[in-house]
Amino acid sequence: MKIEKKRILVVDDRASDTRLLKLYLEGTNDYEVREENDARAAVSAAEAFQPHLILLDMMMPDMDGGDLAACFQTSPKLKAVPIVFLTAIVTKEEVEAGRGRIGRFPYVAKPVVLTEVLACLKHHLGG
């Protein structure tokens, strides 16, 4: 029996960051990852890809992650998709103190530790 891979959309203006996450996550054979480095194109990319979860950078040119998250949530196709922020504006200690949340969204501090991202995905997607 073949298990469907979970689809993850990674949105970050730094292509090196999205590439690293894609290679690592797809290497587990549990995920199919799409990279998007243009925040303005991310909503249409997400609607086409239909991700199970979105990893979203907070600080991007043109549109910040909070504004982009609001756009995702107004889309009928995406409003139920969990979003996890990736951000350099908080430290690992602040993540722990805030129980891993910014408002109602979970987040992972940059620089990301790949095993922490994987644990976060498993927590939010099950398994």
Side-chain angles (χ1 to χ4, degrees):
M1 181 168 89
K2 187 176 180 182
I3 297 173
E4 179 188 8
K5 292 181 180 183
K6 297 289 185 180
R7 292 180 305 280
I8 308 298
L9 175 66
V10 182
V11 182
D12 194 314
D13 57 303
R14 293 182 49 161
S16 59
D17 289 355
T18 58
R19 174 54 87 201
L20 178 65
L21 285 163
K22 178 182 176 70
L23 290 172
Y24 180 75
L25 294 173
E26 287 188 345
T28 68
N29 287 322
D30 293 328
Y31 303 99
E32 177 184 350
V33 179
R34 178 164 175 179
E35 303 170 75
E36 185 55 63
N37 302 115
D38 179 355
R40 300 233 180 254
V43 173
S44 59
E47 287 176 342
F49 186 57
Q50 288 296 290
H52 291 99
L53 185 139
I54 299 169
L55 291 172
L56 178 58
D57 185 26
M58 283 289 290
M59 305 290 288
M60 295 182 287
D62 300 325
M63 180 182 286
D64 73 25
D67 291 338
L68 187 51
C71 291
F72 287 136
Q73 295 191 312
T74 60
S75 167
K77 293 181 179 179
L78 303 171
K79 65 183 176 186
V81 177
I83 296 170
V84 174
F85 282 115
L86 304 173
T87 183
I89 60 174
V90 296
T91 65
K92 303 260 184 216
E93 292 76 23
E94 290 170 317
V95 169
E96 291 170 13
R99 293 195 166 86
R101 299 189 88 69
I102 296 175
R104 59 191 177 99
F105 292 105
Y107 63 101
V108 175
K110 287 183 171 183
V112 296
V113 175
L114 295 172
T115 54
E116 289 176 7
V117 173
L118 185 59
C120 181
L121 291 180
K122 289 183 179 202
H123 173 76
H124 292 287
L125 295 173

